[in-house]
Amino acid sequence: MTKLVQLLFEGVSVGCLYALVALGFVAIYRASRVINFAQGSLLLLGAYLISYMVIDKSVPWFLAAAIGVAAMVMVGVLFQVFVLRRVTGQPVFTVVMITIGLNIAITALVPAIFGVNQRPDGTGDPIGTGELTVGGVVFTWVNIWSIIVTAIVLAGFFCFDRFSRYGLATRATSVDEEAALAVGIPVRRVNALSWGLAAGIATIAGIFLTAFPRGLDPTTGDIALAAFPAIIIGGLESPLGAVIGGLTIGIVELLTQGYESNIPALGHNFYTIAPYVVMIAVLLIRPYGLFGQRPVERI
């Protein structure tokens, strides 16, 4: 029982970070119908910026985190304004290929600037390296803080989405971009804001992901691939689905990792593909995800 509770806690903490990455995917897809394949590289760049400021420039961690998130928001906005806006009206495939190009460029740029060796993430004492033990279950502070911060970010996003002017504009744009333009909604500004939010949220996820045993290195951005099933399970247009999907794959991954040795037929490292198995199972029942909606076509 202790092992189960331990794995569930760790699964929820990792799942929260997957949910943040997935939320960035959803934010961009809702506004522009584009899957951003550069989400992982934005996370990578943000994590390295914060680590560089803390480790190399001795900037206080909280200030470095704030600067890093703000800088990545600007990177996302500027990329949308100066690159993606120029291909407005082009096939979605064109935009997707541009995001893949951005991913390749950032992934190559980061080790060229910061080196290829693993480096400290820069969190240290502000997040805490200690732990609490309750009934034999170990609650590490980094896991606890990852859940708390994720909950705060998600609550802020949902408040923004439901009660702010731009949140309403984003939802209107996601329903019908042409109709949104017709009634005066600044669709270009909405798209730029969506990219900024996605980059900022990815950076926050990167802060905590690098504090886990996986560390900070040029492969850290691959976490986006692990989080990809979350948006498919939850539905590409649903922020709530991103959260549920992220928690689902986090729990599935950790439980499978903890118990796969008890089932020899699964082999080794089955936990790495377990989320994709769940994703396929969900799609067989709900082709548009748990919270996705079937597109309506009027004839």
Side-chain angles (χ1 to χ4, degrees), residues 53-54 57-65:
M53 285 187 284
V54 173
K57 298 299 181 182
S58 301
V59 177
W61 184 84
F62 288 106
L63 178 59

Side-chain angles (χ1 to χ4, degrees), residues 21-94:
V21 178
L23 193 61
F25 280 110
V26 170
I28 291 176
Y29 184 84
R30 286 205 309 164
S32 59
R33 290 295 185 272
V34 171
I35 296 178
N36 173 27
F37 285 96
Q39 190 71 5
S41 61
L42 293 173
L43 180 155
L44 176 69
L45 180 58
Y48 265 90
L49 285 176
I50 294 172
S51 173
Y52 173 75
M53 285 187 284
V54 173
I55 302 300
D56 298 344
K57 298 299 181 182
S58 301
V59 177
W61 184 84
F62 288 106
L63 178 59
I67 294 174
V69 172
M72 291 309 300
V73 168
M74 289 303 300
V75 168
V77 170
L78 292 175
F79 178 73
Q80 199 284 327
V81 170
F82 291 104
V83 179
L84 294 183
R85 189 169 292 181
R86 296 179 179 274
V87 294
T88 300
Q90 298 299 317
V92 172
F93 177 77
T94 301

